[in-house]
Amino acid sequence: MTWEWIIIVLYGLSLLFIFFFSLGQLHLTYHYLKAKKKLKGQVVKTPPMDGAYPKVCVQLPIFNEKYVVNRLVDAVCNLDYPNDKLEIQLLDDSTDETTAMLQDKVDQWKGLGKNIELIRRPERVDFKAGALKYGMEITDAEFIAIFDADFLPQAHFLKATIPHFQNEKVGVVQTRWGHVNKDYSLLTRLQAFGLDAHFTVEQVGRNTAGSFINFNGTGGVWRKKTIEDAGGWSADTLTEDLDLSYRSQLKGWEFLYREDVESPAELPIIMPAIKSQQFRWNKGGAETARKNFFKVLSAPIGFSNKLHAFFHLFNSSIFIAILITALLSVPMLWIKSIHPELALLFQIGSVFLLGFFSIAIFYWVANKHLMKGKKYGKYFFKTFPLFITVSMGLSLHNALAVAEGLLGFKSAFIRTPKFNISDKNKSWKDNQYIKLQFSWLSILEILLAVYFAFAIFLGIQLGDYGLIIFHLMLMLGFLMVFYHSVKPQIK
């Protein structure tokens, strides 16, 4: 096999993965629309509570979060739930003044009759998973709600979720993330755009299809028995939430998703923080796939559910496929020019453009239903191209994270720094948790921007304009990611 055919095969396989992934997203869109049609514009109703409310423990895993913990504790203590049935655990592993701030809050709310405790482990082992496990072992509550430090649960959260557990098969109720700082900047708007699709079309689509969904690490409630039955929290992946979700559903527990119940949270406001979060999510997703997919294959579930589970567990691998496709698209231009006899093959390959339209439909539907008739069309066409462009620009960073996860390379759990900043004029540079340093990855990102600028030039020179828009988006994507990565380091 010549080098040309090696490139063609690798390029084709990458396109094929992207194509089938996009069809999977289109199938979820179908199920989402089916669910919406069934509800006829109504929301999922919380079932009436038969008898007294059960005891709930709200766990707040915290590590050095002095900028956001006060608002978090206040929001949780204002939950509308019987005081004698509500326990609040501040699972604090902090090494700074966060602990003193939390102690002040505990004293304040205890004086108002709240059952709230500041819990310090003897040793910080297994990061967030270890903290949740430690707290679970010292509570007798039947249900456990979890919120990360940047969340602001609404008062009705528990009364909207707990009644669903009257169905003994339900092990988890997950709610939709909201965004307290969506309009802070272009970066926060793009993050919200992507997350909103996951928390509408993707989660509802999977839930409606009867496929596995995931607890998103926060903004949800677990039945304690479900966690125990699935083997408990484990820190052998960076996404302990996804891992436990699959182990639980493989045990037969059902997950319920409430799109209409919103749990507001903060979005990272600088690219280094976004990259930190993206690295953990993508590497952890790959680690979870490596750990659980063969268990899914052997599970007594339908083929459609196994297929959705494959694309769910391996969804971060899309960045590897995008990166390979992007890198090989340039030599493909040259191969196409020197092998006119392969013209039919390249024409057939253009069918994979349908994948792009499938993804566009996926995000269009999410945007339309979430904005509820507002000027969603204008917002979509202004945001979607930028979202795809920046996603392409992140493909190198995220592909490396996925590769590490699939190959079994271990790394520590790196928390995403929180800011508690919604005012665009307020500086974040005094945030003591931001440790900025120039990365070699940024050098590669700017080199890739130059590489795709050359690809545009090559396409014009060869008179082949089919990939120019693709290469333009790649060039702009890597430029934007490079710019926003180095900008915070400029004093």
Side-chain angles (χ1 to χ4, degrees):
M1 181 180 287
T2 65
W3 66 270
E4 291 102 328
W5 278 105
I6 292 173
I7 290 174
I8 290 171
V9 169
L10 287 175
Y11 183 77
L13 289 174
S14 298
L15 275 179
L16 195 63
F17 182 84
I18 295 171
F19 179 66
F20 282 121
F21 174 83
S22 62
L23 290 185
Q25 299 299 86
L26 188 63
H27 190 237
L28 291 177
T29 306
Y30 161 75
H31 279 290
Y32 180 77
L33 293 173
K34 183 179 177 181
K36 289 296 179 182
K37 183 178 180 180
K38 184 178 180 180
L39 286 171
K40 296 180 180 178
Q42 302 300 310
V43 297
V44 177
K45 292 183 178 179
T46 301
M49 196 68 203
D50 185 14
Y53 281 100
K55 185 174 181 180
V56 178
C57 174
V58 180
Q59 292 187 323
L60 309 176
I62 297 164
F63 177 70
N64 294 352
E65 300 284 9
K66 71 173 189 176
Y67 300 107
V68 294
V69 288
N70 282 339
R71 68 180 190 182
L72 166 71
V73 175
D74 288 343
V76 170
C77 287
N78 280 306
L79 287 170
D80 179 18
Y81 205 74
N83 268 357
D84 62 330
K85 297 293 185 179
L86 180 62
E87 175 187 359
I88 301 169
Q89 291 183 341
L90 306 183
L91 302 172
D92 179 44
D93 288 334
S94 299
T95 58
D96 66 358
E97 59 266 44
T98 300
T99 302
M101 295 171 65
L102 288 173
Q103 188 59 62
D104 289 342
K105 277 292 173 185
V106 167
D107 294 341
Q108 173 191 334
W109 283 105
K110 270 192 170 183
L112 295 173
K114 294 294 180 180
N115 179 11
I116 181 171
E117 295 292 339
L118 177 62
I119 298 171
R120 301 274 298 174
R121 294 188 286 166
E123 185 181 0
R124 188 185 182 224
V125 293
D126 292 342
F127 308 104
K128 179 181 176 181
L132 295 173
K133 181 179 180 180
Y134 186 86
M136 194 179 80
E137 291 172 350
I138 56 176
T139 181
D140 61 351
E142 186 180 353
F143 300 98
I144 296 177
I146 300 170
F147 293 101
D148 284 345
D150 57 319
F151 273 70
L152 293 168
Q154 297 180 335
H156 70 288
F157 175 86
L158 289 176
K159 286 190 174 179
T161 54
I162 290 298
H164 290 287
F165 288 101
Q166 293 174 106
N167 178 349
E168 293 294 332
K169 295 179 181 179
V170 173
V172 171
V173 177
Q174 174 68 50
T175 64
R176 177 174 58 83
W177 291 7
H179 318 292
V180 298
N181 62 338
K182 173 182 177 179
D183 295 321
Y184 177 81
S185 68
L186 173 64
L187 292 180
T188 55
R189 286 195 296 274
L190 295 181
Q191 289 175 83
F193 185 83
L195 286 170
D196 286 345
H198 169 72
F199 282 101
T200 52
V201 175
E202 200 168 346
Q203 287 288 63
V204 174
R206 285 199 181 96
N207 213 195
T208 303
S211 298
F212 287 3
I213 68 169
N214 61 294
F215 168 66
N216 293 103
T218 176
V221 185
W222 282 85
R223 188 189 298 271
K224 184 179 179 181
K225 183 180 176 182
T226 302
I227 300 175
E228 295 170 336
D229 186 43
W233 292 104
S234 172
D236 59 358
T237 74
L238 292 178
T239 46
E240 71 289 323
D241 47 4
L242 179 61
D243 172 41
L244 184 58
S245 295
Y246 265 77
R247 287 189 280 119
S248 300
Q249 288 166 106
L250 285 169
K251 284 284 190 176
W253 291 98
E254 295 179 3
F255 281 32
L256 178 70
Y257 182 68
R258 287 291 300 266
E259 179 191 5
D260 61 302
V261 180
E262 182 180 352
S263 296
E266 178 181 297
L267 295 161
I269 62 175
I270 58 173
M271 183 60 75
I274 295 170
K275 281 184 169 180
S276 171
Q277 187 180 72
Q278 290 278 308
F279 182 88
R280 189 175 70 251
W281 287 353
N282 286 290
K283 180 174 181 177
E287 289 175 327
T288 303
R290 189 171 185 262
K291 177 180 178 180
N292 291 297
F293 181 64
F294 288 106
K295 298 174 186 176
V296 174
L297 278 183
S298 60
I301 58 176
F303 175 77
S304 175
N305 289 341
K306 289 181 180 181
L307 197 59
H308 274 302
F310 171 80
F311 285 112
H312 187 194
L313 286 170
F314 287 94
N315 67 351
S316 58
S317 299
I318 194 72
F319 289 106
I320 292 180
I322 290 171
L323 185 63
I324 292 174
T325 301
L327 292 173
L328 296 185
S329 65
V330 181
M332 284 292 289
L333 281 174
W334 183 258
I335 292 171
K336 186 177 178 183
S337 70
I338 63 176
H339 289 286
E341 69 275 12
L342 297 178
L344 179 61
L345 178 64
F346 289 110
Q347 289 172 9
I348 294 173
S350 64
V351 72
F352 292 119
L353 286 174
L354 291 174
F356 175 81
F357 293 108
S358 297
I359 293 296
I361 293 171
F362 173 80
Y363 284 102
W364 169 269
V365 170
N367 185 67
K368 177 182 177 181
H369 281 267
L370 201 56
M371 295 189 72
K372 293 182 174 64
K374 297 177 184 177
K375 296 180 179 178
Y376 60 86
K378 180 180 178 181
Y379 177 74
F380 174 83
F381 287 112
K382 184 172 66 173
T383 309
F384 178 68
L386 276 174
F387 173 76
I388 293 296
T389 297
V390 174
S391 296
M392 289 179 177
L394 283 167
S395 62
L396 173 64
H397 173 272
N398 290 346
L400 291 175
V402 175
E404 284 192 18
L406 292 176
L407 294 173
F409 296 152
K410 294 299 181 181
S411 57
F413 184 102
I414 306 297
R415 57 179 285 280
T416 304
K418 315 302 189 301
F419 298 88
N420 193 11
I421 293 177
S422 56
D423 184 353
K424 298 178 183 180
N425 298 315
K426 187 177 179 181
S427 174
W428 52 264
K429 292 193 175 183
D430 59 349
N431 188 309
Q432 70 181 51
Y433 303 131
I434 303 296
K435 309 297 182 185
L436 297 175
Q437 57 183 10
F438 190 76
S439 170
W440 60 269
L441 203 59
S442 294
I443 298 294
L444 292 179
E445 286 162 352
I446 193 63
L447 288 176
L448 283 174
V450 174
Y451 178 72
F452 293 112
F454 167 75
I456 296 171
F457 171 77
L458 181 62
I460 294 172
Q461 286 292 103
L462 295 174
D464 189 337
Y465 304 102
L467 292 175
I468 279 187
I469 294 179
F470 179 53
H471 288 149
L472 178 63
M473 293 175 73
L474 284 163
M475 181 192 74
L476 292 175
F478 281 107
L479 270 177
M480 289 179 70
V481 170
F482 169 79
Y483 169 74
H484 285 287
S485 296
V486 300
K487 180 184 176 183
Q489 301 173 55
I490 300 172
K491 302 297 182 181

